[in-house]
Amino acid sequence: MNPVKPGETPRPPWIVGVSGASGTPYAAAVLRALLAAGERVDLVVSRASRLTLLDETGLPFRDAHWQDDLREWLSRGADGKPGTFAPDLGGVRYWNAGDLAAGPSSGSYATQGMVIVPASTACVAGVALGLSKDLLQRAASVTLKERRPLVVAVRETPLNGQTLRHLVTLDDAGAAVVPTSPAFYAGATHIQDLVDFVAGRVLDAAGVPHSLYRRWTGELGGGSAAPATG
């Protein structure tokens, strides 16, 4: 995290919403990359996502211990191995998903935009319909009404007609819909490479620089080389 110099106004944060869909490694990769890029993060973790995190990683996420729990989560790779990463959480601010008076619930609260990763179909529906049943959905609605970037990394298969219509609604409203579909041309040799590709495409949609995957250069056979690091 790049420190703010005296007299310098810090950049507004990115809101990162984690919903209850499977795919907590995607969220971890996006969070790590945002922090590595020197971005500040306002984190909202839905109630359903805590159950998914516990199921996929065996880790809890508790309001009273969110820093310890987040550090342990982000330190693990997609294969679950602890101590793979050493995240710096100095740029993270946590908001309880039930706090509808939180900063991100208001359009006057300055942010750069919002990323929902992973986005469940229930979350997609709630945002598309403007339900604002929790802070995650409310923050997404605010992001849309303020014409700020909203990236929705939907994680579900197959997609039924109702969800597809909700995704079209979000696209029409200005959101970027990014299916969590990894590609293989970047030379993936590990599950983390596939996760990082999706996280990188999410950050591409948000306009945040990163080095999570090898970009296509127009030359065939590039995927046979060693994958990019960093």
Side-chain angles (χ1 to χ4, degrees):
M1 182 69 186
N2 296 327
V4 178
K5 299 178 181 178
E8 185 179 70
T9 302
R11 296 176 64 184
W14 281 94
I15 303 171
V16 176
V18 184
S19 80
S22 176
T24 54
Y26 296 130
V30 167
L31 285 165
R32 285 192 299 263
L34 283 171
L35 295 173
E39 301 288 353
R40 295 163 59 223
V41 170
D42 276 19
L43 177 64
V44 182
V45 179
S46 76
R47 293 184 183 277
S49 68
R50 300 175 192 225
L51 297 176
T52 305
L53 181 64
L54 184 63
D55 184 56
E56 292 186 344
T57 69
L59 299 174
F61 194 94
R62 302 161 293 179
D63 289 338
H65 305 280
W66 72 266
Q67 287 180 309
D68 292 336
D69 293 345
L70 180 62
R71 182 174 291 106
E72 178 63 28
W73 175 26
L74 298 191
S75 73
R76 298 194 178 200
D79 59 2
K81 183 180 179 181
T84 302
F85 301 98
D88 179 1
L89 305 185
V92 180
R93 184 174 186 179
Y94 171 70
W95 301 94
N96 183 286
D99 184 5
L100 291 177
S105 68
S106 172
S108 65
Y109 183 81
T111 73
Q112 293 193 64
M114 182 174 183
V115 173
I116 305 176
V117 56
S120 67
T121 54
C123 175
V124 166
V127 177
L129 297 174
L131 298 182
S132 295
K133 73 170 188 176
D134 61 9
L135 179 60
L136 195 161
Q137 292 184 14
R138 171 60 185 169
S141 295
V142 168
T143 300
L144 287 176
K145 81 179 183 68
E146 297 295 327
R147 300 296 190 266
R148 297 168 184 160
L150 174 64
V151 182
V152 180
V154 61
R155 214 309 304 168
E156 184 63 88
T157 189
L159 295 171
N160 62 25
Q162 187 176 44
T163 298
L164 290 169
R165 285 188 287 272
H166 289 150
L167 292 172
V168 170
T169 296
L170 292 179
D171 179 77
D172 288 343
V177 176
V178 181
T180 53
S181 303
F184 297 87
Y185 61 77
T189 59
H190 189 275
I191 185 174
Q192 189 66 53
D193 299 326
L194 298 175
V195 168
D196 284 348
F197 179 88
V198 171
R201 295 300 288 153
V202 169
L203 293 175
D204 286 346
V208 177
H210 66 87
S211 56
L212 289 175
Y213 69 89
R214 179 187 295 103
R215 298 184 182 278
W216 175 252
T217 62
E219 297 181 6
L220 295 176
S224 61
T229 59

